[in-house]
Amino acid sequence: MHTFSEENYLRAIYRLSLDGSGKISPTSIAEALDNNPASVVDMLKKLTDKKLISYDKKKGAKLTDKGTKTAIEVVRKHRLWEVFLLEKLGYGWEEIHDIAEQLEHIHNDELADRLDKFLGFPDYDPHGDPIPKANGKIATAYKTMLLEVEPGNSCQVAAVKDTSVEFLQYLEKLGVGIGTRLKVIEKIAFDGSMVIQVGKGNSINVSKKFGESILVG
């Protein structure tokens, strides 16, 4: 059995590997976990000793098969709990991440499978991230940013990269959620901002960061 901290590190490394971040350095892990690089290096040594990762300064950190299995189990539980909290308990999508971070560390072999079945075997969590199955298979992750959509084209919100409370609350004010139709009206060359139409509503101006934080399908 692994500690909560160890599982958080494994989950962070797993997500960074999926993002195609290249070398997974202590700095990138520290940024993902809002931690300091010195303490990250100490933890990487512990995870290496437990054969959960391989690590050297030149190549960075990489999950072993054992580490990958553990990380996927944690990610699966986290995302299933997010679905449960939103759909069954009525929490807002800006509230569920922190609660799920606590619930993901419950160690019970059957719990995730029962939760998955109870929820109807969902493929994606409320933020659009794919939920790993019990057999390790996982649905396709959405990678196309709103920023990449050309003016005149429409798309549908499939996922959000930024799951901070502030951003999710901002999206709620704009009436934007998973499945919302967006149309790109114009891209502003000066600062990378965009003019978009939300559903059939009025056009609004959004920042470049907004365009990078929304994934579309």
Side-chain angles (χ1 to χ4, degrees):
M1 188 176 295
H2 311 296
T3 68
F4 289 6
S5 182
E6 288 170 347
E7 291 183 345
N8 285 337
Y9 271 80
L10 294 174
R11 177 162 60 87
I13 295 170
Y14 174 76
R15 294 202 63 169
L16 287 169
S17 69
L18 292 183
D19 290 343
S21 304
K23 176 183 174 182
I24 302 175
S25 66
T27 301
S28 61
I29 297 171
E31 291 174 353
L33 293 172
D34 193 22
N35 210 336
N36 67 77
S39 62
V40 170
V41 171
D42 289 339
M43 177 58 78
L44 293 182
K45 291 177 181 177
K46 292 179 182 178
L47 296 175
T48 300
D49 290 340
K50 291 191 173 186
K51 300 186 180 342
L52 294 167
I53 68 166
S54 59
Y55 171 72
D56 65 50
K57 293 180 179 179
K58 291 184 178 180
K59 296 181 179 180
K62 183 178 180 181
L63 293 171
T64 61
D65 289 344
K66 180 181 177 182
T68 299
K69 183 176 183 295
T70 301
I72 289 175
E73 288 172 353
V74 175
V75 168
R76 180 175 181 235
K77 287 185 286 184
H78 180 99
R79 294 176 180 174
L80 286 170
W81 279 120
E82 287 195 335
V83 176
F84 177 81
L85 291 165
L86 183 94
E87 294 186 359
K88 305 302 180 182
L89 298 187
Y91 283 93
W93 71 336
E94 77 282 4
E95 301 175 287
I96 57 179
H97 178 75
D98 288 345
I99 303 173
E101 280 208 329
Q102 300 171 56
L103 294 169
E104 71 187 26
H105 299 295
I106 297 175
H107 295 116
N108 183 290
D109 293 338
E110 292 185 14
L111 181 59
D113 291 340
R114 292 193 178 197
L115 187 59
D116 197 10
K117 183 179 179 180
F118 176 71
L119 295 170
F121 304 103
D123 289 323
Y124 295 90
D125 74 10
H127 302 121
D129 290 317
I131 301 173
K133 300 300 181 183
N135 60 9
K137 292 185 178 180
I138 188 168
T140 302
Y142 295 100
K143 296 183 179 180
T144 303
M145 296 184 293
L146 176 62
L147 194 67
E148 299 174 87
V149 178
E150 294 300 323
N153 291 336
S154 296
C155 56
Q156 183 171 296
V157 177
V160 288
K161 290 178 68 176
D162 184 348
T163 57
S164 66
V165 171
E166 294 79 11
F167 184 63
L168 295 177
Q169 288 178 338
Y170 177 53
L171 291 180
E172 284 195 335
K173 288 183 180 180
L174 297 179
V176 175
I178 303 299
T180 300
R181 297 292 299 179
L182 302 177
K183 182 176 182 180
V184 177
I185 306 300
E186 183 183 3
K187 290 185 177 180
I188 312 301
F190 171 68
D191 59 1
S193 62
M194 310 172 72
V195 179
I196 64 171
Q197 182 181 22
V198 179
K200 296 182 179 179
N202 295 325
S203 298
I204 59 173
N205 188 280
V206 295
S207 67
K208 179 181 179 182
K209 184 177 180 180
F210 182 99
E212 293 172 336
S213 300
I214 296 286
L215 300 176
V216 300

